[in-house]
Amino acid sequence: MVALDVPTREVRVGARLTRFGERGNEGAIVVEWDVPRSPTSLGIVVELGAELGVPPAVCLRGTGLSAVPYGDSNHEVSARQELTAIGNLLTATNDRAGLGLDVGSRYHLTTYGIWGFALLSSPTLRVAVDLGLRYLDLTFAFSRVVVREPDGAIRLVLDTPDIPARFARFAVERDAAAMMVIQHDLFRAPVPSTAVRFAFPPPDDVQRYAEVFGVVPEFEAAENVVEMSSEYLDLPLPQANAHTGALAQAQCRDLLQRRRTRGGLAGQVCDLIRSEPATPPNAERIAAALHVSSRTLRQRLAAEGTSFRELLDEIREQLAEEMLADGLTVAEIAERLGYAEVSSLSQAFRRWKGVSPRAYRSRSGGG
């Protein structure tokens, strides 16, 4: 059994709690360990293990599972359970180099369920990238992803600050390989990388890497990067469908909301805030409604890794994004969320997403 020293609550960026996956000016996303996920990825790990001679019981040791819970939408697993199984597979295979490539190459868009269909129906790769990052918690990624657009290129920069160092190479290999498969599935043809760089040492044989990425990567680089020409960003995708895309995005929002529904006192606070978004109750009213003192409320929320201000910000961010997707104007959203001025909402939205509400809607394909 592999002991994991991973976060026990949501990862923080600066002082703000990360829920959707934190997006700043460069689009950074971080791992949320306890948001439930489909067991499909765990199943891929276990199946590959079996092919390599590692029994499923060995892969699942310490996960609390006796088998991969396929076939029932109510059966989900956590990122923590999946990482435990990966650790067991790495141990059983002596940390085999390239193992992450073998796993990531099996992740087709259909593997991801509704998230994959949302990307497939996107009008362009640019929209698909933005949509994919927005709902990254519906995938199996362990890497933090940052999108950069230097002249003539798009760079997907991967980092793993949220997982133990031992798993970093596997996570980067797997997530980078999965990106290549996604691009292929979107265009129904290979999309060549212009450059691939990894921060870890080179393997004894780079052939498998060249097969996956179409180029021989540079190793021991400053950061992990998959780069492609920006000419692909605004090309129409062959399976684009506005109606299907809108339905898929709505289902992504609903599924993510269900998966990240908070428990404990924080969940009760969120429910009270959602009930009156235009005139959100302050901490004192929340405390009174929950029959605790304001001090006890602060202490118990702190014990759950959050605060009233963070929860209020979180709910407003969620609702603002949903209302933008539903076609409401910025002024209407500001009124419904209790902002006295449209400019106040715009400033908050820039803090959440790094862009204005209108720019975010345009970038997300909402016109």
Side-chain angles (χ1 to χ4, degrees):
M1 173 177 168
V2 179
L4 297 181
D5 181 19
V6 296
T8 56
R9 52 179 182 258
E10 294 86 355
V11 179
R12 292 176 183 273
V13 175
R16 201 168 77 77
L17 185 66
T18 299
R19 294 301 299 167
F20 277 96
E22 181 71 9
R23 182 192 296 273
N25 291 331
E26 290 187 318
I29 304 293
V30 299
V31 177
E32 292 196 58
W33 291 101
D34 295 309
V35 172
R37 52 175 57 192
S38 161
T40 305
S41 181
L42 175 62
I44 290 174
V45 171
V46 173
E47 289 166 6
L48 178 60
E51 292 175 17
L52 297 175
V54 182
V58 173
C59 282
L60 293 172
R61 190 176 297 153
T63 65
L65 300 169
S66 58
V68 179
Y70 291 121
D72 185 342
S73 61
N74 293 321
H75 284 168
E76 296 176 312
V77 299
S78 69
R80 196 183 315 278
Q81 288 173 306
E82 186 177 329
L83 197 65
T84 298
I86 290 168
N88 293 332
L89 181 58
L90 287 170
T91 297
T93 58
N94 296 315
D95 293 299
R96 171 180 162 178
L99 191 63
L101 301 182
D102 294 335
V103 174
S105 295
R106 301 182 180 211
Y107 288 24
H108 289 275
L109 275 173
T110 52
T111 305
Y112 300 94
I114 193 61
W115 183 89
F117 286 109
L119 268 63
L120 278 171
S121 56
S122 298
T124 65
L125 179 61
R126 184 185 299 277
V127 173
V129 168
D130 186 83
L131 181 67
L133 293 180
R134 192 189 327 158
Y135 296 110
L136 198 72
D137 284 338
L138 297 180
T139 74
F140 314 109
F142 284 133
S143 302
R144 182 177 65 179
V145 182
V146 172
V147 179
R148 297 177 186 158
E149 291 188 48
D151 291 342
I154 177 172
R155 291 176 185 161
L156 300 173
V157 184
L158 295 85
D159 194 12
T160 55
D162 311 320
I163 66 174
R166 182 202 170 188
F167 298 87
R169 180 168 190 150
F170 175 94
V172 169
E173 286 181 348
R174 188 196 67 169
D175 295 344
M179 288 176 181
M180 300 304 298
V181 177
I182 288 172
Q183 292 172 10
H184 181 283
D185 287 354
L186 287 174
F187 284 100
R188 292 182 171 174
V191 179
S193 300
T194 55
V196 177
R197 296 187 289 276
F198 292 120
F200 42 79
D204 294 333
D205 185 357
V206 299
Q207 181 60 35
R208 179 62 175 143
Y209 291 82
E211 292 172 357
V212 171
F213 298 106
V215 296
V216 176
E218 172 190 343
F219 293 91
E220 298 183 311
E223 56 187 1
N224 304 297
V225 177
V226 176
E227 180 179 302
M228 61 182 290
S229 172
S230 61
E231 68 183 65
Y232 291 94
L233 280 174
D234 297 308
L235 293 179
L237 295 178
Q239 299 174 81
N241 185 297
H243 178 67
T244 301
L247 291 176
Q249 287 191 48
Q251 291 180 56
C252 282
R253 290 198 303 272
D254 292 344
L255 178 58
L256 186 59
Q257 180 63 49
R258 291 197 302 272
R259 286 187 176 179
R260 68 181 183 189
T261 298
R262 286 181 176 271
L265 185 67
Q268 298 177 59
V269 172
C270 286
D271 289 342
L272 290 170
I273 294 173
R274 285 194 193 95
S275 68
E276 301 179 70
T279 55
N282 58 25
E284 287 69 28
R285 282 179 57 198
I286 292 284
L290 296 175
H291 307 291
V292 297
S293 67
S294 297
R295 180 180 180 183
T296 298
L297 178 69
R298 287 194 303 271
Q299 291 174 338
R300 289 178 59 184
L301 288 179
E304 294 182 16
T306 188
S307 69
F308 172 77
R309 174 54 56 184
E310 288 171 347
L311 293 175
L312 176 60
D313 221 30
E314 174 186 320
I315 297 303
R316 281 176 157 173
E317 178 181 359
Q318 294 171 14
L319 294 177
E321 184 172 2
E322 292 171 9
M323 291 178 192
L324 279 173
D326 290 338
L328 274 67
T329 68
V330 178
E332 288 171 333
I333 296 171
E335 180 179 1
R336 294 191 183 196
L337 294 183
Y339 287 96
E341 303 289 341
V342 173
S343 60
S344 298
L345 169 63
S346 296
Q347 290 171 7
F349 202 90
R350 284 185 179 276
R351 175 165 48 83
W352 298 328
K353 303 295 187 185
V355 295
S356 70
R358 291 183 179 86
Y360 185 84
R361 193 205 313 264
S362 176
R363 191 174 65 181
S364 301

